[in-house]
Amino acid sequence: MCAVTGAFAVDRLTEELARAAGAPVVLERPREAAHGDYATNVALRLAPTRGRTPRELAEEIAGAATESALVERAEVAGPGFVNLWVTSGWYRDAVVEIADRPGEYGGGFASPRERVQVEMVSANPTGPITVASARNGAYGDAVARVLAFAGNEVEREYYYNDAGAQMDRFRASVEAVRRGEEPPEDGYRGAYLDELAALDGDPVPHMLGRIEASLERFRIHFDSWTRQSELERRLPEYLPRLDTYEKDGALWARSSAHGDDEDRVLVRSEGGAPTYRAADVVYLVDKLERGFDRAIYVLGADHHGTRNWYAAVARMLGYDPAHIEVLLYQLVHLTRGGEQTKMSKRRGDVVFLDDFMDEVGVDAARWYLVSRGHDQTIEIDVDLARERSEKNPVYYVQYAHARIAGILRNAGDARAEPEPGVEPEREERELVKRLAEFPGVVAEAAERRGPHALPNYAIRVADDFHRFYHHHRVLESEAEGFRLALCRATQAVIARSLDLIGVEAPERM
RNA sequence: GCGCCUGUAGCUCAGUGGACAGAGCAGCGGACUUCUAAUCCGCGGGUCGGAGGUUCGAAUCCUCCCAGGCGCACCA
């Protein structure tokens, strides 16, 4: 239970209403201003169980609600909605509570607090990071940031394949270039191969270095890097704990008996080499034995077929599959002038993250890749990206932040404290109510693993702020103290919304 | 054939049970001796893929159908 003191403004209002209704309520913001600042359908929900008509019950709740010091007025509307108008005191308190603790507002709600590992990107180091993999990172890192802000302890990990058939082809391709020959038919091509060929030794560590640099530039920092080859070696320890059988000379996991769609090969018939699945087994044990309460896998939709595999492995090993979570995101389709391009590293005709960042900037790149629902395939016209950059909503949001920073620079010693009797104007009330939504937006983004709610919300905040700014002066106005506090609160919410998706909040533009 | 995802304005997409469905871009018309016009104000634009069902109430939940994307390896 959260204490009443220190609870957010909407929570306090919700509790007052729950008291009036004698049941839990959910408040929502009506689309129509005529329907009040907040509204609840609690009477509609309660009427059947209480043997009353919805309107009758709504009248009663509305009457009780007006007793609250937070409620200016309450009306019954439609089939039985209770519409509420809040007092100017509620607005002042809401602003102060955000402005007073800008670093914490909206966060710290995780219960229980968990140790979480988010494993993401994990692309084979056979080439630079592509825009497709960048979506994995943009999504996974935003989820990680949201979970951390919620109060969890989060680590990011990159898992890479440093052995196996694809890596052999990659190394052979580099070797061929070093000998001045064409890469093999099934090998890799592209300008980056020449750069790797110019360096000495195994190209894999060099490639990984470039990948890490790209991701750091993309503002994703990995706490750890795990190699597939090291995990494979430990397979014999865990084989006895698995449900396995031999068929056609290969060793199979009977995963279909534990929730997977089919059985999987662990050890190949020819050569006796372990498969990628074998490394999966060891890796899962490794993650959980490191003490993570939750191991999150971020995978592209082309891997959705393996979703049940991880849970099956957990069950076979005797772990609760609830510790494992697979997040899927749909793929990125790139077009050039309307024509589809194929994403194949081997053909070398892909768009690399570094080039994408060069073209549209880091902020727009992150914004673009995370502002759409992860269940949605996104289309990016690479040719359009550059010219669209000035119209990208990310600048609209950043500009609101920079404008506020400008006001606060000019404010000097002026105090950001609401004047006791100040009556907020319409644009101010809308902005305050918007800021009051923030904790709910973050909580939902965390729960649904849907960080795209944040950029969409940030646009609304910027929208409300720009409108407020246009209609009212802050400095040397009669409500200067209130408005300065409102500016601080807005700045905090915008900065946090952007930070959670890895976008910077500039002081000047 | 089986599985996952998607179908909302001209385009790109929000909106996972509430009151006449929203934004950005594109189109048209207005507002700058400003705390930054990267802004604001206004206008036009929709059988929410289709058909049934559940509900006081459905873009949202259920069933079927249509269309598209991605999978269904001893590659990763």
Side-chain angles (χ1 to χ4, degrees):
Chain A
M1 294 299 288
C2 64
V4 178
T5 22
F8 299 126
V10 176
D11 297 334
R12 287 196 297 274
L13 191 60
T14 302
E15 285 186 27
E16 297 279 285
L17 260 293
R19 198 167 302 137
V25 303
V26 175
L27 292 180
E28 54 186 50
R29 283 191 62 193
R31 242 186 293 277
E32 283 289 318
H35 295 152
D37 296 316
Y38 292 96
T40 177
N41 61 1
V42 67
L44 288 160
R45 295 196 172 287
L46 252 42
T49 59
R50 296 207 178 163
R52 310 276 303 277
T53 71
R55 296 239 4 154
E56 204 174 59
L57 198 53
E59 292 289 356
E60 205 173 287
I61 294 168
T66 49
E67 302 293 309
S68 166
L70 307 177
V71 178
E72 180 76 41
R73 167 162 83 88
E75 280 180 5
V76 177
F81 293 103
V82 178
N83 296 335
L84 303 165
W85 282 260
V86 291
T87 61
S88 47
W90 181 88
Y91 287 106
R92 291 194 296 269
D93 291 347
V95 169
V96 168
E97 111 188 328
I98 303 167
D100 276 0
R101 41 175 184 172
E104 308 162 38
Y105 180 62
F109 52 83
S111 174
R113 292 171 184 244
E114 298 180 319
R115 270 199 73 199
V116 181
Q117 184 202 61
V118 181
E119 182 224 317
M120 55 186 157
V121 187
S122 297
N124 277 353
T126 55
I129 291 295
T130 63
V131 169
S133 286
R135 185 180 192 185
N136 186 312
Y139 174 54
D141 185 60
V143 169
R145 285 171 186 244
V146 169
L147 291 179
F149 183 53
N152 300 290
E153 194 183 322
V154 180
E155 288 183 27
R156 294 160 179 80
E157 181 154 293
Y158 192 114
Y159 169 60
Y160 66 97
N161 183 3
D162 58 339
Q166 292 197 18
M167 296 314 298
D168 291 343
R169 278 198 286 276
F170 169 66
R171 289 188 171 103
S173 301
V174 175
E175 283 306 323
V177 174
R178 281 174 178 163
R179 290 192 306 268
E181 299 166 11
E182 278 290 301
E185 185 65 22
D186 59 352
Y188 293 84
R189 277 152 230 284
Y192 69 92
L193 278 187
D194 298 332
E195 296 164 28
L196 290 170
L199 301 168
D200 291 330
D202 185 359
V204 172
H206 293 128
M207 197 65 252
L208 272 172
R210 278 189 59 172
I211 287 171
E212 182 170 19
S214 298
L215 291 169
E216 286 286 342
R217 183 183 170 203
F218 199 47
R219 302 185 189 128
I220 301 177
H221 176 75
F222 285 91
D223 301 292
S224 49
W225 300 70
T226 292
R227 304 166 58 155
Q228 183 177 326
S229 63
E230 287 182 2
L231 294 174
E232 280 173 357
R233 283 202 287 275
R234 289 157 54 193
L235 181 64
E237 291 174 52
Y238 302 110
L239 278 181
R241 288 169 63 181
L242 291 172
D243 185 0
T244 60
Y245 62 93
E246 285 190 40
K247 192 182 84 179
D248 304 331
L251 184 70
W252 293 69
R254 194 177 281 108
S255 43
S256 64
H258 300 85
D260 197 3
D261 308 320
E262 56 191 348
D263 293 345
R264 315 276 182 178
V265 174
L266 294 175
V267 180
R268 295 182 172 90
S269 55
E270 281 180 36
T275 62
Y276 174 81
R277 302 285 165 215
D280 279 344
V281 171
V282 182
Y283 193 23
L284 192 142
V285 177
D286 180 72
K287 285 172 188 254
L288 296 181
E289 292 303 320
R290 272 190 271 166
F292 292 110
D293 302 307
R294 184 175 298 277
I296 295 180
Y297 294 77
V298 183
L299 301 175
D302 51 341
H303 289 77
H304 81 264
T306 68
R307 185 175 223 176
N308 296 328
W309 158 248
Y310 295 102
V313 172
R315 286 193 196 93
M316 282 191 281
L317 292 166
Y319 294 108
D320 182 352
H323 293 298
I324 305 297
E325 188 175 325
V326 176
L327 300 185
L328 295 170
Y329 62 92
Q330 297 297 314
L331 304 180
V332 179
H333 285 168
L334 294 172
T335 57
R336 279 204 181 271
E339 226 166 280
Q340 195 98 353
T341 67
K342 284 286 182 197
M343 298 296 292
S344 165
K345 269 187 241 182
R346 266 181 259 172
R347 294 227 308 269
D349 58 354
V350 296
V351 174
F352 296 130
L353 174 59
D354 281 311
D355 298 333
F356 190 58
M357 288 191 285
D358 287 344
E359 269 194 61
V360 306
V362 179
D363 286 330
R366 285 210 58 150
W367 177 283
Y368 206 96
L369 287 169
V370 86
S371 63
R372 302 287 143 78
H374 53 274
D375 277 342
Q376 190 79 232
T377 304
I378 54 179
E379 307 235 351
I380 299 178
D381 190 324
V382 183
D383 292 333
L384 231 59
R386 196 193 303 107
E387 61 178 285
R388 283 174 61 110
S389 69
E390 283 203 357
K391 293 157 187 165
N392 193 309
V394 68
Y395 300 111
Y396 180 78
V397 175
Q398 288 184 320
Y399 185 53
H401 185 273
R403 268 185 156 175
I404 294 170
I407 294 170
L408 296 177
R409 274 196 300 275
N410 293 335
D413 298 333
R415 305 190 58 136
E417 267 174 33
E419 295 75 4
V422 71
E423 293 282 330
E425 303 279 351
R426 181 163 54 97
E427 291 78 10
E428 298 172 282
R429 295 198 301 266
E430 292 305 307
L431 179 53
V432 175
K433 284 183 283 184
R434 186 71 69 191
L435 300 179
E437 292 175 15
F438 184 62
V441 171
V442 178
E444 197 170 294
E447 191 187 351
R448 286 163 54 173
R449 314 294 195 235
H452 68 286
L454 289 158
N456 287 306
Y457 167 73
I459 292 172
R460 298 280 79 77
V461 178
D463 212 4
D464 287 327
F465 177 77
H466 285 309
R467 191 172 299 115
F468 155 72
Y469 177 94
H470 189 263
H471 286 91
H472 306 287
R473 244 198 107 76
V474 175
L475 300 178
E476 286 134 31
S477 71
E478 287 185 7
E480 184 185 77
F482 175 75
R483 288 175 181 169
L484 277 172
L486 182 54
C487 283
R488 283 191 194 285
T490 306
Q491 188 182 38
V493 168
I494 291 178
R496 177 65 65 183
S497 298
L498 292 177
D499 179 67
L500 289 174
I501 57 168
V503 174
E504 287 185 338
E507 295 285 312
R508 297 172 194 272
M509 283 179 77

